[in-house]
PDB file of all heavy atoms in Angstrom:
ATOM      1  N   PRO A 119       0.854  -1.192   0.000  1.00  0.00           N
ATOM      2  CA  PRO A 119       0.000   0.000   0.000  1.00  0.00           C
ATOM      3  C   PRO A 119       0.888   1.240   0.000  1.00  0.00           C
ATOM      4  O   PRO A 119       1.905   1.289   0.692  1.00  0.00           O
ATOM      5  CB  PRO A 119      -0.788  -0.123   1.309  1.00  0.00           C
ATOM      6  CG  PRO A 119       0.082  -0.960   2.194  1.00  0.00           C
ATOM      7  CD  PRO A 119       0.881  -1.857   1.305  1.00  0.00           C
ATOM      8  N   MET A 120       0.520   2.243  -0.792  1.00  0.00           N
ATOM      9  CA  MET A 120       1.368   3.424  -0.963  1.00  0.00           C
ATOM     10  C   MET A 120       0.542   4.709  -0.992  1.00  0.00           C
ATOM     11  O   MET A 120      -0.571   4.715  -1.502  1.00  0.00           O
ATOM     12  CB  MET A 120       2.120   3.355  -2.301  1.00  0.00           C
ATOM     13  CG  MET A 120       2.866   2.108  -2.591  1.00  0.00           C
ATOM     14  SD  MET A 120       4.616   2.107  -2.246  1.00  0.00           S
ATOM     15  CE  MET A 120       5.202   3.707  -2.513  1.00  0.00           C
ATOM     16  N   THR A 121       1.142   5.778  -0.486  1.00  0.00           N
ATOM     17  CA  THR A 121       0.611   7.105  -0.784  1.00  0.00           C
ATOM     18  C   THR A 121       1.026   7.421  -2.212  1.00  0.00           C
ATOM     19  O   THR A 121       1.975   6.834  -2.742  1.00  0.00           O
ATOM     20  CB  THR A 121       1.151   8.158   0.196  1.00  0.00           C
ATOM     21  OG1 THR A 121       2.575   8.122   0.179  1.00  0.00           O
ATOM     22  CG2 THR A 121       0.639   7.902   1.610  1.00  0.00           C
ATOM     23  N   PHE A 122       0.322   8.338  -2.857  1.00  0.00           N
ATOM     24  CA  PHE A 122       0.545   8.537  -4.286  1.00  0.00           C
ATOM     25  C   PHE A 122       0.003   9.884  -4.745  1.00  0.00           C
ATOM     26  O   PHE A 122      -0.648  10.607  -3.993  1.00  0.00           O
ATOM     27  CB  PHE A 122      -0.135   7.414  -5.080  1.00  0.00           C
ATOM     28  CG  PHE A 122      -1.645   7.556  -5.129  1.00  0.00           C
ATOM     29  CD1 PHE A 122      -2.268   7.999  -6.291  1.00  0.00           C
ATOM     30  CD2 PHE A 122      -2.432   7.265  -4.029  1.00  0.00           C
ATOM     31  CE1 PHE A 122      -3.645   8.155  -6.337  1.00  0.00           C
ATOM     32  CE2 PHE A 122      -3.804   7.401  -4.063  1.00  0.00           C
ATOM     33  CZ  PHE A 122      -4.425   7.849  -5.223  1.00  0.00           C
ATOM     34  N   GLY A 123       0.239  10.164  -5.979  1.00  0.00           N
ATOM     35  CA  GLY A 123      -0.389  11.267  -6.691  1.00  0.00           C
ATOM     36  C   GLY A 123      -0.669  10.778  -8.095  1.00  0.00           C
ATOM     37  O   GLY A 123      -0.064   9.801  -8.553  1.00  0.00           O
ATOM     38  N   SER A 124      -1.590  11.423  -8.785  1.00  0.00           N
ATOM     39  CA  SER A 124      -1.887  10.999 -10.147  1.00  0.00           C
ATOM     40  C   SER A 124      -2.253  12.199 -10.999  1.00  0.00           C
ATOM     41  O   SER A 124      -2.627  13.250 -10.496  1.00  0.00           O
ATOM     42  CB  SER A 124      -3.018   9.961 -10.161  1.00  0.00           C
ATOM     43  OG  SER A 124      -4.212  10.528  -9.676  1.00  0.00           O
ATOM     44  N   ALA A 125      -2.123  12.007 -12.299  1.00  0.00           N
ATOM     45  CA  ALA A 125      -2.447  13.059 -13.257  1.00  0.00           C
ATOM     46  C   ALA A 125      -2.811  12.399 -14.578  1.00  0.00           C
ATOM     47  O   ALA A 125      -2.483  11.238 -14.811  1.00  0.00           O
ATOM     48  CB  ALA A 125      -1.244  13.988 -13.451  1.00  0.00           C
ATOM     49  N   VAL A 126      -3.479  13.152 -15.433  1.00  0.00           N
ATOM     50  CA  VAL A 126      -3.722  12.706 -16.794  1.00  0.00           C
ATOM     51  C   VAL A 126      -2.708  13.437 -17.663  1.00  0.00           C
ATOM     52  O   VAL A 126      -2.669  14.668 -17.679  1.00  0.00           O
ATOM     53  CB  VAL A 126      -5.162  13.005 -17.256  1.00  0.00           C
ATOM     54  CG1 VAL A 126      -5.340  12.631 -18.719  1.00  0.00           C
ATOM     55  CG2 VAL A 126      -6.169  12.268 -16.393  1.00  0.00           C
ATOM     56  N   GLU A 127      -1.858  12.664 -18.336  1.00  0.00           N
ATOM     57  CA  GLU A 127      -0.819  13.216 -19.198  1.00  0.00           C
ATOM     58  C   GLU A 127      -0.887  12.531 -20.551  1.00  0.00           C
ATOM     59  O   GLU A 127      -0.863  11.300 -20.622  1.00  0.00           O
ATOM     60  CB  GLU A 127       0.559  13.005 -18.566  1.00  0.00           C
ATOM     61  CG  GLU A 127       0.710  13.685 -17.210  1.00  0.00           C
ATOM     62  CD  GLU A 127       2.016  13.349 -16.505  1.00  0.00           C
ATOM     63  OE1 GLU A 127       2.887  12.682 -17.122  1.00  0.00           O
ATOM     64  OE2 GLU A 127       2.165  13.749 -15.333  1.00  0.00           O
ATOM     65  N   ASP A 128      -1.002  13.316 -21.588  1.00  0.00           N
ATOM     66  CA  ASP A 128      -1.088  12.780 -22.956  1.00  0.00           C
ATOM     67  C   ASP A 128      -2.179  11.718 -23.085  1.00  0.00           C
ATOM     68  O   ASP A 128      -2.000  10.691 -23.744  1.00  0.00           O
ATOM     69  CB  ASP A 128       0.261  12.209 -23.408  1.00  0.00           C
ATOM     70  CG  ASP A 128       1.355  13.272 -23.471  1.00  0.00           C
ATOM     71  OD1 ASP A 128       1.034  14.424 -23.844  1.00  0.00           O
ATOM     72  OD2 ASP A 128       2.503  12.954 -23.128  1.00  0.00           O
ATOM     73  N   GLY A 129      -3.308  11.954 -22.420  1.00  0.00           N
ATOM     74  CA  GLY A 129      -4.449  11.057 -22.524  1.00  0.00           C
ATOM     75  C   GLY A 129      -4.360   9.777 -21.717  1.00  0.00           C
ATOM     76  O   GLY A 129      -5.200   8.906 -21.852  1.00  0.00           O
ATOM     77  N   LYS A 130      -3.327   9.668 -20.876  1.00  0.00           N
ATOM     78  CA  LYS A 130      -3.171   8.474 -20.038  1.00  0.00           C
ATOM     79  C   LYS A 130      -3.046   8.882 -18.575  1.00  0.00           C
ATOM     80  O   LYS A 130      -2.520   9.950 -18.261  1.00  0.00           O
ATOM     81  CB  LYS A 130      -1.933   7.672 -20.440  1.00  0.00           C
ATOM     82  CG  LYS A 130      -2.069   7.029 -21.801  1.00  0.00           C
ATOM     83  CD  LYS A 130      -0.977   6.029 -22.036  1.00  0.00           C
ATOM     84  CE  LYS A 130      -1.240   5.296 -23.349  1.00  0.00           C
ATOM     85  NZ  LYS A 130      -0.417   4.121 -23.476  1.00  0.00           N
ATOM     86  N   ILE A 131      -3.497   7.996 -17.697  1.00  0.00           N
ATOM     87  CA  ILE A 131      -3.334   8.242 -16.267  1.00  0.00           C
ATOM     88  C   ILE A 131      -1.914   7.857 -15.872  1.00  0.00           C
ATOM     89  O   ILE A 131      -1.418   6.794 -16.250  1.00  0.00           O
ATOM     90  CB  ILE A 131      -4.361   7.457 -15.446  1.00  0.00           C
ATOM     91  CG1 ILE A 131      -5.754   8.023 -15.719  1.00  0.00           C
ATOM     92  CG2 ILE A 131      -4.028   7.507 -13.958  1.00  0.00           C
ATOM     93  CD1 ILE A 131      -6.869   7.332 -15.020  1.00  0.00           C
ATOM     94  N   VAL A 132      -1.286   8.752 -15.122  1.00  0.00           N
ATOM     95  CA  VAL A 132       0.051   8.518 -14.611  1.00  0.00           C
ATOM     96  C   VAL A 132      -0.029   8.552 -13.092  1.00  0.00           C
ATOM     97  O   VAL A 132      -0.610   9.470 -12.509  1.00  0.00           O
ATOM     98  CB  VAL A 132       1.048   9.586 -15.111  1.00  0.00           C
ATOM     99  CG1 VAL A 132       2.435   9.331 -14.557  1.00  0.00           C
ATOM    100  CG2 VAL A 132       1.071   9.608 -16.629  1.00  0.00           C
ATOM    101  N   VAL A 133       0.531   7.543 -12.450  1.00  0.00           N
ATOM    102  CA  VAL A 133       0.555   7.444 -10.996  1.00  0.00           C
ATOM    103  C   VAL A 133       1.994   7.656 -10.543  1.00  0.00           C
ATOM    104  O   VAL A 133       2.919   7.071 -11.105  1.00  0.00           O
ATOM    105  CB  VAL A 133       0.033   6.066 -10.518  1.00  0.00           C
ATOM    106  CG1 VAL A 133       0.199   5.894  -9.016  1.00  0.00           C
ATOM    107  CG2 VAL A 133      -1.432   5.893 -10.927  1.00  0.00           C
ATOM    108  N   TYR A 134       2.156   8.505  -9.533  1.00  0.00           N
ATOM    109  CA  TYR A 134       3.475   8.770  -8.964  1.00  0.00           C
ATOM    110  C   TYR A 134       3.524   8.204  -7.549  1.00  0.00           C
ATOM    111  O   TYR A 134       2.580   8.388  -6.773  1.00  0.00           O
ATOM    112  CB  TYR A 134       3.743  10.278  -8.914  1.00  0.00           C
ATOM    113  CG  TYR A 134       3.877  10.892 -10.279  1.00  0.00           C
ATOM    114  CD1 TYR A 134       2.783  11.452 -10.922  1.00  0.00           C
ATOM    115  CD2 TYR A 134       5.097  10.893 -10.936  1.00  0.00           C
ATOM    116  CE1 TYR A 134       2.902  12.009 -12.183  1.00  0.00           C
ATOM    117  CE2 TYR A 134       5.227  11.444 -12.203  1.00  0.00           C
ATOM    118  CZ  TYR A 134       4.128  12.006 -12.818  1.00  0.00           C
ATOM    119  OH  TYR A 134       4.246  12.545 -14.067  1.00  0.00           O
ATOM    120  N   ILE A 135       4.613   7.518  -7.235  1.00  0.00           N
ATOM    121  CA  ILE A 135       4.828   6.994  -5.887  1.00  0.00           C
ATOM    122  C   ILE A 135       6.242   7.349  -5.462  1.00  0.00           C
ATOM    123  O   ILE A 135       7.080   7.699  -6.300  1.00  0.00           O
ATOM    124  CB  ILE A 135       4.601   5.460  -5.811  1.00  0.00           C
ATOM    125  CG1 ILE A 135       5.534   4.716  -6.778  1.00  0.00           C
ATOM    126  CG2 ILE A 135       3.139   5.109  -6.065  1.00  0.00           C
ATOM    127  CD1 ILE A 135       5.510   3.197  -6.639  1.00  0.00           C
ATOM    128  N   HIS A 136       6.492   7.251  -4.170  1.00  0.00           N
ATOM    129  CA  HIS A 136       7.841   7.505  -3.671  1.00  0.00           C
ATOM    130  C   HIS A 136       8.233   6.402  -2.702  1.00  0.00           C
ATOM    131  O   HIS A 136       7.389   5.662  -2.211  1.00  0.00           O
ATOM    132  CB  HIS A 136       7.938   8.872  -2.989  1.00  0.00           C
ATOM    133  CG  HIS A 136       7.283   8.917  -1.658  1.00  0.00           C
ATOM    134  ND1 HIS A 136       5.920   8.910  -1.495  1.00  0.00           N
ATOM    135  CD2 HIS A 136       7.813   8.949  -0.421  1.00  0.00           C
ATOM    136  CE1 HIS A 136       5.639   8.937  -0.208  1.00  0.00           C
ATOM    137  NE2 HIS A 136       6.760   8.958   0.469  1.00  0.00           N
ATOM    138  N   SER A 137       9.534   6.329  -2.448  1.00  0.00           N
ATOM    139  CA  SER A 137      10.052   5.233  -1.641  1.00  0.00           C
ATOM    140  C   SER A 137      11.410   5.615  -1.073  1.00  0.00           C
ATOM    141  O   SER A 137      12.071   6.524  -1.586  1.00  0.00           O
ATOM    142  CB  SER A 137      10.209   3.999  -2.535  1.00  0.00           C
ATOM    143  OG  SER A 137      10.842   2.945  -1.872  1.00  0.00           O
ATOM    144  N   ALA A 138      11.811   4.883  -0.059  1.00  0.00           N
ATOM    145  CA  ALA A 138      13.207   4.957   0.363  1.00  0.00           C
ATOM    146  C   ALA A 138      14.048   4.403  -0.781  1.00  0.00           C
ATOM    147  O   ALA A 138      13.547   3.689  -1.656  1.00  0.00           O
ATOM    148  CB  ALA A 138      13.427   4.134   1.631  1.00  0.00           C
ATOM    149  N   GLY A 139      15.310   4.708  -0.786  1.00  0.00           N
ATOM    150  CA  GLY A 139      16.177   4.295  -1.877  1.00  0.00           C
ATOM    151  C   GLY A 139      16.611   2.846  -1.847  1.00  0.00           C
ATOM    152  O   GLY A 139      17.280   2.379  -2.765  1.00  0.00           O
ATOM    153  N   GLU A 140      16.241   2.132  -0.802  1.00  0.00           N
ATOM    154  CA  GLU A 140      16.626   0.722  -0.722  1.00  0.00           C
ATOM    155  C   GLU A 140      15.517  -0.061  -0.044  1.00  0.00           C
ATOM    156  O   GLU A 140      14.634   0.495   0.577  1.00  0.00           O
ATOM    157  CB  GLU A 140      17.932   0.559   0.049  1.00  0.00           C
ATOM    158  CG  GLU A 140      17.896   1.163   1.430  1.00  0.00           C
ATOM    159  CD  GLU A 140      19.252   1.149   2.109  1.00  0.00           C
ATOM    160  OE1 GLU A 140      20.271   1.282   1.420  1.00  0.00           O
ATOM    161  OE2 GLU A 140      19.267   0.995   3.342  1.00  0.00           O
ATOM    162  N   GLY A 141      15.583  -1.366  -0.187  1.00  0.00           N
ATOM    163  CA  GLY A 141      14.585  -2.233   0.419  1.00  0.00           C
ATOM    164  C   GLY A 141      13.956  -3.139  -0.618  1.00  0.00           C
ATOM    165  O   GLY A 141      14.281  -3.095  -1.815  1.00  0.00           O
ATOM    166  N   ARG A 142      13.058  -3.966  -0.152  1.00  0.00           N
ATOM    167  CA  ARG A 142      12.460  -4.997  -1.000  1.00  0.00           C
ATOM    168  C   ARG A 142      11.766  -4.421  -2.225  1.00  0.00           C
ATOM    169  O   ARG A 142      11.928  -4.928  -3.338  1.00  0.00           O
ATOM    170  CB  ARG A 142      11.484  -5.828  -0.163  1.00  0.00           C
ATOM    171  CG  ARG A 142      10.905  -7.001  -0.902  1.00  0.00           C
ATOM    172  CD  ARG A 142      10.083  -7.875   0.018  1.00  0.00           C
ATOM    173  NE  ARG A 142       9.544  -9.012  -0.702  1.00  0.00           N
ATOM    174  CZ  ARG A 142       8.707  -9.880  -0.181  1.00  0.00           C
ATOM    175  NH1 ARG A 142       8.319  -9.761   1.076  1.00  0.00           N
ATOM    176  NH2 ARG A 142       8.251 -10.891  -0.894  1.00  0.00           N
ATOM    177  N   LYS A 143      10.978  -3.361  -2.032  1.00  0.00           N
ATOM    178  CA  LYS A 143      10.240  -2.764  -3.145  1.00  0.00           C
ATOM    179  C   LYS A 143      11.204  -2.295  -4.237  1.00  0.00           C
ATOM    180  O   LYS A 143      11.021  -2.609  -5.419  1.00  0.00           O
ATOM    181  CB  LYS A 143       9.383  -1.617  -2.623  1.00  0.00           C
ATOM    182  CG  LYS A 143       8.625  -0.879  -3.680  1.00  0.00           C
ATOM    183  CD  LYS A 143       7.693   0.176  -3.103  1.00  0.00           C
ATOM    184  CE  LYS A 143       8.354   1.022  -2.094  1.00  0.00           C
ATOM    185  NZ  LYS A 143       7.890   1.265  -0.839  1.00  0.00           N
ATOM    186  N   CYS A 144      12.230  -1.550  -3.854  1.00  0.00           N
ATOM    187  CA  CYS A 144      13.205  -1.057  -4.844  1.00  0.00           C
ATOM    188  C   CYS A 144      13.959  -2.199  -5.503  1.00  0.00           C
ATOM    189  O   CYS A 144      14.233  -2.154  -6.708  1.00  0.00           O
ATOM    190  CB  CYS A 144      14.172  -0.075  -4.189  1.00  0.00           C
ATOM    191  SG  CYS A 144      13.407   1.528  -3.876  1.00  0.00           S
ATOM    192  N   ASP A 145      14.293  -3.232  -4.742  1.00  0.00           N
ATOM    193  CA  ASP A 145      14.983  -4.395  -5.313  1.00  0.00           C
ATOM    194  C   ASP A 145      14.117  -5.072  -6.377  1.00  0.00           C
ATOM    195  O   ASP A 145      14.600  -5.426  -7.459  1.00  0.00           O
ATOM    196  CB  ASP A 145      15.335  -5.412  -4.226  1.00  0.00           C
ATOM    197  CG  ASP A 145      16.397  -4.912  -3.261  1.00  0.00           C
ATOM    198  OD1 ASP A 145      17.073  -3.897  -3.567  1.00  0.00           O
ATOM    199  OD2 ASP A 145      16.543  -5.534  -2.185  1.00  0.00           O
ATOM    200  N   ILE A 146      12.845  -5.249  -6.069  1.00  0.00           N
ATOM    201  CA  ILE A 146      11.937  -5.905  -7.016  1.00  0.00           C
ATOM    202  C   ILE A 146      11.765  -5.054  -8.265  1.00  0.00           C
ATOM    203  O   ILE A 146      11.844  -5.553  -9.389  1.00  0.00           O
ATOM    204  CB  ILE A 146      10.573  -6.202  -6.352  1.00  0.00           C
ATOM    205  CG1 ILE A 146      10.725  -7.294  -5.287  1.00  0.00           C
ATOM    206  CG2 ILE A 146       9.536  -6.605  -7.400  1.00  0.00           C
ATOM    207  CD1 ILE A 146       9.489  -7.487  -4.425  1.00  0.00           C
ATOM    208  N   LEU A 147      11.528  -3.748  -8.084  1.00  0.00           N
ATOM    209  CA  LEU A 147      11.313  -2.883  -9.237  1.00  0.00           C
ATOM    210  C   LEU A 147      12.556  -2.768 -10.116  1.00  0.00           C
ATOM    211  O   LEU A 147      12.441  -2.588 -11.333  1.00  0.00           O
ATOM    212  CB  LEU A 147      10.844  -1.499  -8.783  1.00  0.00           C
ATOM    213  CG  LEU A 147       9.441  -1.453  -8.174  1.00  0.00           C
ATOM    214  CD1 LEU A 147       9.120  -0.057  -7.666  1.00  0.00           C
ATOM    215  CD2 LEU A 147       8.395  -1.931  -9.178  1.00  0.00           C
ATOM    216  N   ALA A 148      13.734  -2.886  -9.536  1.00  0.00           N
ATOM    217  CA  ALA A 148      14.966  -2.854 -10.332  1.00  0.00           C
ATOM    218  C   ALA A 148      15.060  -4.089 -11.228  1.00  0.00           C
ATOM    219  O   ALA A 148      15.574  -4.011 -12.350  1.00  0.00           O
ATOM    220  CB  ALA A 148      16.182  -2.770  -9.411  1.00  0.00           C
ATOM    221  N   LYS A 149      14.544  -5.227 -10.746  1.00  0.00           N
ATOM    222  CA  LYS A 149      14.589  -6.474 -11.521  1.00  0.00           C
ATOM    223  C   LYS A 149      13.448  -6.556 -12.525  1.00  0.00           C
ATOM    224  O   LYS A 149      13.615  -7.085 -13.626  1.00  0.00           O
ATOM    225  CB  LYS A 149      14.518  -7.682 -10.590  1.00  0.00           C
ATOM    226  CG  LYS A 149      15.754  -7.876  -9.756  1.00  0.00           C
ATOM    227  CD  LYS A 149      15.583  -9.056  -8.820  1.00  0.00           C
ATOM    228  CE  LYS A 149      16.760  -9.162  -7.865  1.00  0.00           C
ATOM    229  NZ  LYS A 149      16.526 -10.153  -6.816  1.00  0.00           N
ATOM    230  N   ASP A 150      12.267  -6.100 -12.132  1.00  0.00           N
ATOM    231  CA  ASP A 150      11.087  -6.197 -12.991  1.00  0.00           C
ATOM    232  C   ASP A 150      10.160  -5.025 -12.679  1.00  0.00           C
ATOM    233  O   ASP A 150       9.437  -5.048 -11.689  1.00  0.00           O
ATOM    234  CB  ASP A 150      10.358  -7.521 -12.752  1.00  0.00           C
ATOM    235  CG  ASP A 150       9.223  -7.755 -13.737  1.00  0.00           C
ATOM    236  OD1 ASP A 150       8.857  -6.820 -14.489  1.00  0.00           O
ATOM    237  OD2 ASP A 150       8.691  -8.875 -13.757  1.00  0.00           O
ATOM    238  N   PRO A 151      10.172  -3.979 -13.501  1.00  0.00           N
ATOM    239  CA  PRO A 151       9.382  -2.788 -13.214  1.00  0.00           C
ATOM    240  C   PRO A 151       7.901  -2.885 -13.594  1.00  0.00           C
ATOM    241  O   PRO A 151       7.160  -1.920 -13.418  1.00  0.00           O
ATOM    242  CB  PRO A 151      10.095  -1.702 -14.027  1.00  0.00           C
ATOM    243  CG  PRO A 151      10.653  -2.445 -15.198  1.00  0.00           C
ATOM    244  CD  PRO A 151      11.051  -3.799 -14.651  1.00  0.00           C
ATOM    245  N   ARG A 152       7.471  -4.036 -14.087  1.00  0.00           N
ATOM    246  CA  ARG A 152       6.049  -4.189 -14.428  1.00  0.00           C
ATOM    247  C   ARG A 152       5.222  -4.234 -13.146  1.00  0.00           C
ATOM    248  O   ARG A 152       5.534  -5.000 -12.236  1.00  0.00           O
ATOM    249  CB  ARG A 152       5.807  -5.460 -15.234  1.00  0.00           C
ATOM    250  CG  ARG A 152       6.498  -5.457 -16.586  1.00  0.00           C
ATOM    251  CD  ARG A 152       6.345  -6.777 -17.290  1.00  0.00           C
ATOM    252  NE  ARG A 152       6.960  -7.831 -16.476  1.00  0.00           N
ATOM    253  CZ  ARG A 152       6.694  -9.124 -16.591  1.00  0.00           C
ATOM    254  NH1 ARG A 152       5.818  -9.545 -17.479  1.00  0.00           N
ATOM    255  NH2 ARG A 152       7.302 -10.000 -15.825  1.00  0.00           N
ATOM    256  N   VAL A 153       4.170  -3.423 -13.085  1.00  0.00           N
ATOM    257  CA  VAL A 153       3.356  -3.352 -11.875  1.00  0.00           C
ATOM    258  C   VAL A 153       1.871  -3.343 -12.212  1.00  0.00           C
ATOM    259  O   VAL A 153       1.467  -3.036 -13.327  1.00  0.00           O
ATOM    260  CB  VAL A 153       3.684  -2.097 -11.021  1.00  0.00           C
ATOM    261  CG1 VAL A 153       5.121  -2.121 -10.538  1.00  0.00           C
ATOM    262  CG2 VAL A 153       3.389  -0.812 -11.774  1.00  0.00           C
TER     263      VAL A 153
END
């Protein structure tokens, strides 16, 4: 679960999230950024 922000850009929804620079989430996203 994450806090977030979103916007419509070029006709698509874009979701923004933030994180610490290390940890399980960052490790997973570095290997496979599909979400």
Side-chain angles (χ1 to χ4, degrees):
M120 309 262 328
T121 55
F122 74 105
S124 63
V126 175
E127 299 173 7
D128 297 324
K130 292 192 174 194
I131 292 178
V132 179
V133 174
Y134 293 93
I135 58 172
H136 74 287
S137 173
E140 56 187 33
R142 185 173 181 186
K143 177 175 47 232
C144 285
D145 292 346
I146 291 170
L147 291 176
K149 290 178 186 171
D150 187 350
R152 296 174 299 160
V153 298

